[in-house]
Amino acid sequence: MKKIALLATLITGAILLYSTKDFAPWGDPHSPASVHVSNVYIEKSVEQTHVPNIVTAILGDYRGYDTMFETVVIFSAGMAVIGVLRRPKE
Amino acid sequence: MISQNLHMFVLAAPLLSGILVNLLGRLSRRWISVLTLGSLGFSTVGAFFVLLRVLAKGSFHYTVGNWTPPYGIELLVDPLSALMLLLVSGVAFLASLSALKSVDQELPGKQHVFFTMYLILVAGLLGLVLTADAFNLYVLLEITSINTYGLIAMGKGRAPLASFNYIIMGSIGACFYLLGVGYLYILTGTLNMADIASRLPAQGGTAAVATAFAFILVGLCVKMAFFPLHGWLPNAYSLAPSGAGVMIAPLMTKVTVYLMARVFFVMYAPWQSTGHQGVHPLVVWAASAAIIAASALALSQKNLRRMLTYIIVAEVGYMVGGIWLANAQAITGALLHIVNDSLMTLCLFLAASAIVYRRGSLDFNHLGGLYRSMPLTMAAFTVGAFSMIGVPPTAGFFSKWYLILGGIEGGHWEFVVALLVSSLVNAVLFFRIIEFGYFPTGEQAHGHGHGELAVQEAPLQMVQPLILVAVALIAVGLGSGWIVNDIIRLVVPGNF
Amino acid sequence: MESILSEIVAKYNYWIYVILMMIGFYAMIGKRNLVKKLLGMNIFQTAIILFYVSMGVKRGGGIPIVDKHEALLHGVNPAHIDNPVPHVLMLTAIVVSVSVTGVALAIMQRIYREYGTLEEDEILEKIER
Amino acid sequence: MKHLQEKAQSKPLGESLIVQTAVRMMIPFIQLFGLYVIVHGHYSPGGGFQGGVVLGASFILMALAYDLQKTFGYISERTNAILGSTGALIYTGTAALCAVLGGYFLDYSALAKIIPMNPIDWRSMGIFLVEVGVGLAVMNIMVSLFWDISSGGKMDEGL
Amino acid sequence: MIWQLDLLILTLVVVCGIATITVKDLLGASVIFGVYSFLMCLLWAEMGAVDVAFTEATVGAGVSTVLFIAAILRTTRRSKD
Amino acid sequence: MTMASSYSIAPLVVVLLAMLGTIPIMLSDKRPNLRESWTLLVAVGQFLLVAAMLPKVLAGGEYVFTIAQVLPGVPLQLRVDAMGMFFALVASFLWIFTSIYSIGYMRTLEEHGQTRYFAAFALAISSTIGVAFSANLLTLYLFYEMLSLSTYPLVTHEQNAEARASGRKYLTYILGTSIGLVLPAMLITYSLAGTLDFKTGGILAGVGSPEVLSLLLVLFIFGFAKAGIMPFHGWLPAAMVAPTPVSSFLHGVAVVKVGVFSILRIIFDIYGPNLLFDLNLNVVVTTLASITILVASLVALTQDNLKRRLAYSTIGQLSYMVLGAGMVSAAGMMGGMLHIVMHAFGKITLFFCAGAIYVASGKKYISQMDGLGRRMPVTYFAFFLGSLSIIGMPPLGGFISKWNLAMGALEAGQITLLVVLLVSSLLNAAYFFPIVYRGFFAQPAEGSSLDEVREAPLLVVIPLAVTACCSVLLFFFPNVFIDLAKLALGL
């Protein structure tokens, strides 16, 4: 069992590592990830939301839908723990 | 504006009322049923109008927060997602009728917690159906998972252990998916599925893209319990409280399959058609193996609900195989089967839940004389069973028809054989149940008649949805020509 | 040999992330102790977060907080600010991970109450008996 | 190992005067910091999550230094549940309200129909609003998670 | 970005990661996991992801670890592997 | 030939009548008289409706009704043509007598679960009519499956261990073949021809290679296991644990004939006789049928249980019909079709008699029936007539069909088939005459007294007398059926 697990782990790791060869060099400001969408956030977010912390702007507004569900995830976790563990009062 | 936002209200209704159930449900039991049924009923009706609107005016893109697509999170409302919206909310509505009853019996004092999670889970599923953003999909996947973990772990006995295994497997799936999305993001710089798809062909056939898709698809396969990765499902679904099982079993895997179809159509197929060797035959073979293996495992079960869970695993093989056969017939079949299988599973699980309510157990040797004591439940069960076997005019026949035709067209005879074998196995499985239910067990059969076995039907609130689903199964079967022509054909991409 | 070495040096962050991911993944599927599985899950998730955060780094970039007035007047040069999108995504991922951990720990306590152990093989033994 | 564990369970964790005094002095500052993090999320690292977790941590710290009952004096189980739900409701409610008011879902500028304000400022305001909701929800859920996990759902003494 | 520091932290992170899953005492493992999280948080802060680092410091190194420890104290710290 | 086909809801009404008839039958669970009135009402109503459609069909017209368009090019469609009318007429007519007989039989034996029995019976007849009126293969398949399932409660009516085993066997054969063989065959047909409609002259001409078509035909013939072509006949003797009215109607008329009817549909309307002949596939059909005829007749000789003997006789007789179709000569096909009617009337009489003997004396085995004929002369005389018809003696209906079959064999120039016919007729005589002989002339075994045995109740005896008379009448007035068969075959 442990051997299989180790093998699976190694294979997964090898695949992941091998594919990093196609990535842009680390820290490259011209990598696709840095020039497509994110630069617009950096340039426009202050103008469009008046929030200097770009992360907060994206979190709260551009991707606010994600964040809403993130809150709901936390809320659900609380509910799940109550449901699983808490004993109802007599 | 209302009509433009209607699908958002469909989603928001269970979400808001889920939270409200937690606030108000602890005050009075009445609030729970009012809020649950009210919101899900509203969603069902709303989803119906969304479907009508989409059919009349064509599909549309919706951006949350009014940002232009790659910047905000995009939602896609096309005929298929509208249909899924209707399916999810409708199934959840029917299931909740039964769940309200069985939760009272199984989890007294925790109803409000249960239904909070239940409604948020429905909202998560509705969100999954709509989303067109790769990362948003991850978040919603986690919402549905976390609520499912909770709901399953509320069961008795071994349920927490099953749920724990599910957590481990589910997290692996989610992490893989996240890794895949990360790889795509690093290559394209965007998270919007359509945008990714438009930028991927420029990447060519690099190993990184292949890895990204491999991880995304494996992640989804874990979540949908595709055969070798199915280990968590049977325990989790069979040990869950029946109120949770009736909703989770029909919807979770099916919605994940739908997501896989989305990923496949929107991102994978366009990239793959730019001239890279596909892995389609491999997946179809795997699906065929999955169908056969899961059917064989189902044969060895001694408990009705466990048997059904293995059938779910087999059905996942149907749909995955259908999608990866990648011809119009098979994809039509797979998408139609998503709808049909949800309804069939719902029907069977509702029946199982009703039986548990009266008999307390689903072991085969406790099923004797059911046709006598619970005739309506068993009539509906029979319809569901026939649909699983694929007897016309129930819905299950028609999706199987398209799937097999797709297999013939694609020259994948192993898939055709697997489908036929699984139909036969299903016939054996369900007739065993029908036989158990039809013949009285030892002590019930005294002499000739067994008139002393009184009719003891489950409460009306559990039987009603069951009858409705059984009727729906036949109606969907008869209307499958319409569903295929007017809805599914519209969304099968043109290049298939 | 040299090319591999330079590759490693240029992407050592990815190396580290893959190693951490392997540690976590191995713990999740190879370890028999439930807590260990959960720790592995957390390591896996932090590894992914590391991966995402690494992809947002720009050489010579600063933290994604700008001066409001400066930005409104002169605009911002994207090359000087780290990519904020992975950060946003990872905030969500962290929250998800702690939620799952919480639920899993709660369920683990139920399991312990039921079987009196956290070792998977011992639990299975008890079930079979 | 066994008796270590028994010892740990027999004696509540960290029941010492020094710890308790230190915690009692720290908690107001921690809570203040938490509030600051939430409110100041627009301008500095932080926001609803971080602030909420810090606020929750203050109660957790209290529960560690004393016991669970002490925290119930500040925030009862019922209040906790209500506040947590309210937090989640603020976010989802705001989102839905935007749609009801005729904008897109989560389009904060639509809120200008209630209080007329520059749409861009409303976006900033909307972000603040939802951050507060997140903070409330996260704080209470964190506390509730700790309560349940440390007491095994019994809500008695705790560790 | 100081790459020496970077490398040092990365090494430590890996060491802590391995230690977390190999230490037999679960309580010890959780504490090491806390350290691991904290190192991660340093690493991210240094990479410019201040928000993530802050969150990890409060959630990963803080609440998560506390929850782990709480759960272990309620159950058992024994582990066979 | 030109056909006036009119769109009409009538076929649907006929099919639905019995199906919906189950509802009042179920609802009057506690009131047997009311329940049985419903049964009779539905039976008579159905026959009248079918008969009302007869004139137009005889004039070469058709009734068509589309239920739903379910697959591209394949609607769920009902169509009343000559061939369907031919079968529906027989089935709905005989159902009336079976209902009367059932009432007498079930009441006399005080069986349990009578409501379920009558409801399932109504469902079964509805499916039978549905098969007869199907306009395409999919619709036929639908009703075929419905029939299999609705007869399960009838076969397992006793609900004891033997019934359970038989029911299992029954479903294994019937469902296994229909899902495992017919379904893929249907799919292949669809993917070859793009349609599943029944069309005089067939739809498969010009598509697919001879190998595929041969395989397909074999799949179809074995797939419709209700026709009892060996080796898929095993369910029929097993199904004899059912109450006798079930055996008589379903396993003498409806179920088995549905199998044969389906095969005839395949041969006439999917392949078309010409294609069959061109590909030499008729040899396959006739060979399979001949083997079944001879083997089944031989096995029947060895059976002591009366119902089992009748069952094996049925297996043999069914293959006559397939044989006739396989001859691909005008007279042969005509004989095959006519044998459906003649055998139906003959065999139902025989089964009714077996049931009457059981009701009156409780005897199931031929060896116990010595001398019984003198106590039950009406029953035994009817039995005699029925067996004469099956053997093919004039002046009984069976003669007409056998004569046609023999002519067909000659016409097709296949002397072997003629030999098969003759030999099997002799075998028929060999297994039927001893029963009659022992009934009238043998002395009862030592120690068993037949003094208290009387003729069965009137409700049991009248139907069997009527069907026996019908067998005779059919010899003199077979015209309706001959006309219908001619229309169906396009002669």
Side-chain angles (χ1 to χ4, degrees), chain B residues 56-334:
Chain B
K57 297 194 181 160
S59 50
F60 62 96
H61 298 260
Y62 182 95
T63 325
V64 180
N66 201 11
W67 301 105
T68 41
Y71 306 111
I73 290 175
E74 188 188 2
L75 308 182
L76 173 63
V77 188
D78 67 357
L80 181 62
S81 58
L83 180 68
M84 287 298 290
L85 219 53
L86 180 59
L87 180 77
V88 170
S89 46
V91 167
F93 176 71
L94 292 176
S96 68
L97 280 171
S98 159
L100 280 166
K101 218 53 199 167
S102 62
V103 169
D104 277 347
Q105 191 195 41
E106 289 176 23
L107 297 167
K110 284 192 175 176
Q111 289 103 325
H112 64 281
V113 181
F114 182 93
F115 279 101
T116 303
M117 285 196 271
Y118 184 97
L119 286 170
I120 292 177
L121 174 51
V122 176
L125 290 170
L126 292 171
L128 277 178
V129 166
L130 287 172
T131 190
D133 186 280
F135 189 78
N136 187 237
L137 200 155
Y138 165 77
V139 178
L140 287 160
L141 213 54
E142 283 295 343
I143 283 211
T144 51
S145 304
I146 217 165
N147 284 297
T148 317
Y149 303 150
L151 288 175
I152 290 171
M154 284 172 88
K156 291 189 178 60
R158 288 171 57 193
L161 186 62
S163 178
F164 193 89
N165 284 333
Y166 184 15
I167 290 186
I168 297 296
M169 286 306 281
S171 297
I172 291 178
C175 286
F176 272 33
Y177 178 83
L178 194 54
L179 271 176
V181 172
Y183 273 51
L184 285 182
Y185 180 75
I186 216 169
L187 292 168
T188 61
T190 176
L191 293 164
N192 184 299
M193 286 193 195
D195 204 21
I196 292 176
S198 70
R199 295 169 68 87
L200 265 190
Q203 293 288 328
T206 57
V209 185
T211 309
F213 278 120
F215 274 76
I216 286 180
L217 293 172
V218 168
L220 288 177
C221 282
V222 173
K223 288 269 180 192
M224 75 175 77
F226 188 55
F227 167 63
L229 308 170
H230 70 289
W232 56 269
L233 185 139
N235 275 330
Y237 284 11
S238 59
L239 296 169
S242 15
V246 287
M247 202 265 283
I248 294 172
L251 291 180
M252 279 297 280
T253 52
K254 258 58 82 180
V255 169
T256 323
V257 172
Y258 161 86
L259 293 177
M260 184 172 177
R262 264 277 130 88
V263 170
F264 183 84
F265 294 153
V266 178
M267 298 199 290
Y268 182 80
W271 169 75
Q272 192 263 332
S273 64
T274 54
H276 313 293
Q277 202 57 44
V279 289
H280 295 193
L282 213 65
V283 181
V284 177
W285 270 101
S288 316
I291 296 169
I292 303 266
S295 301
L297 285 170
L299 272 175
S300 66
Q301 302 307 317
K302 296 256 178 295
N303 178 294
L304 175 56
R305 196 140 44 153
R306 258 186 102 69
M307 182 192 102
L308 293 180
T309 58
Y310 278 101
I311 293 178
I312 292 178
V313 176
E315 304 279 320
V316 168
Y318 284 27
M319 292 175 268
V320 173
I323 289 169
W324 285 81
L325 271 169
N327 58 45
Q329 297 278 22
I331 289 175
T332 307

Side-chain angles (χ1 to χ4, degrees), chain F residues 76-409:
Chain F
L76 275 188
Q77 198 174 42
L78 295 174
R79 197 182 69 195
V80 187
D81 61 359
M83 195 164 160
M85 176 50 90
F86 182 89
F87 182 40
L89 206 56
V90 182
S92 60
F93 181 65
L94 286 177
W95 189 34
I96 301 175
F97 297 101
T98 316
S99 300
I100 301 170
Y101 182 82
S102 293
I103 296 167
Y105 182 90
M106 300 299 273
R107 286 196 171 183
T108 315
L109 291 181
E110 291 173 349
E111 285 278 350
H112 71 287
Q114 293 196 22
T115 304
R116 184 186 65 214
Y117 171 88
F118 282 110
F121 222 121
L123 216 53
I125 183 71
S126 161
S127 331
T128 308
I129 303 290
V131 169
F133 288 169
S134 295
N136 55 42
L137 195 51
L138 180 76
T139 319
L140 187 143
Y141 182 77
L142 187 163
F143 286 110
Y144 183 91
E145 294 283 38
M146 217 170 97
L147 180 60
S148 319
L149 301 170
S150 58
T151 43
Y152 177 76
L154 296 173
V155 171
T156 55
H157 184 81
E158 290 298 321
Q159 294 194 315
N160 53 22
E162 193 194 357
R164 181 187 284 236
S166 301
R168 210 176 275 176
K169 194 167 184 183
Y170 177 70
L171 280 179
T172 313
Y173 274 92
I174 300 291
L175 273 186
T177 50
S178 72
I179 294 174
L181 303 176
V182 176
L183 185 60
M186 195 159 73
L187 279 153
I188 295 170
T189 310
Y190 179 72
S191 64
L192 287 177
T195 174
L196 290 174
D197 285 346
F198 292 135
K199 215 172 84 192
T200 316
I203 56 171
L204 280 176
V207 296
S209 61
E211 293 79 19
V212 172
L213 290 182
S214 318
L215 177 78
L216 209 53
L217 185 70
V218 174
L219 283 182
F220 273 126
I221 288 185
F222 285 140
F224 289 113
K226 282 180 185 155
I229 302 282
M230 284 185 178
F232 291 101
H233 66 287
W235 62 272
L236 187 51
M240 290 301 142
V241 295
T244 310
V246 176
S247 309
S248 54
F249 185 62
L250 294 178
H251 303 130
V253 183
V255 173
V256 291
K257 297 283 159 41
V258 160
V260 172
F261 181 80
S262 309
I263 292 181
L264 296 192
R265 277 285 195 198
I266 297 293
I267 290 176
F268 295 151
D269 292 349
I270 294 288
Y271 278 80
N274 292 335
L275 180 67
L276 213 62
F277 190 71
D278 291 345
L279 295 176
N280 257 338
L281 288 174
N282 55 335
V283 182
V284 178
V285 178
T286 49
T287 314
L288 288 173
S290 308
I291 293 172
T292 309
I293 292 173
L294 294 177
V295 175
S297 304
L298 285 171
V299 177
L301 270 176
T302 67
Q303 299 294 321
D304 189 31
N305 183 322
L306 178 55
K307 278 173 75 180
R308 284 181 78 87
R309 184 173 287 196
L310 291 178
Y312 275 102
S313 159
T314 306
I315 295 171
Q317 299 293 326
L318 294 174
S319 284
Y320 279 120
M321 304 159 204
V322 179
L323 183 74
M327 285 175 186
V328 205
S329 60
M333 293 193 288
M334 172 73 86
M337 291 272 294
L338 285 178
H339 203 59
I340 292 181
V341 189
M342 307 309 174
H343 174 254
F345 279 89
K347 195 46 75 60
I348 204 169
T349 311
L350 294 176
F351 271 117
F352 279 171
C353 295
I357 294 170
Y358 180 65
V359 167
S361 67
K363 293 191 194 308
K364 286 181 178 172
Y365 294 95
I366 297 164
S367 51
Q368 300 167 340
M369 293 178 188
D370 291 352
L372 210 54
R374 281 167 304 201
R375 312 289 316 175
M376 311 174 65
V378 181
T379 307
Y380 261 73
F381 189 65
F383 191 94
F384 180 60
L385 287 179
S387 49
L388 279 184
S389 178
I390 300 288
I391 297 162
M393 298 283 209
L396 284 133
F399 173 75
I400 295 179
S401 53
K402 285 230 172 146
W403 178 258
N404 271 303
L405 281 172
M407 286 295 116

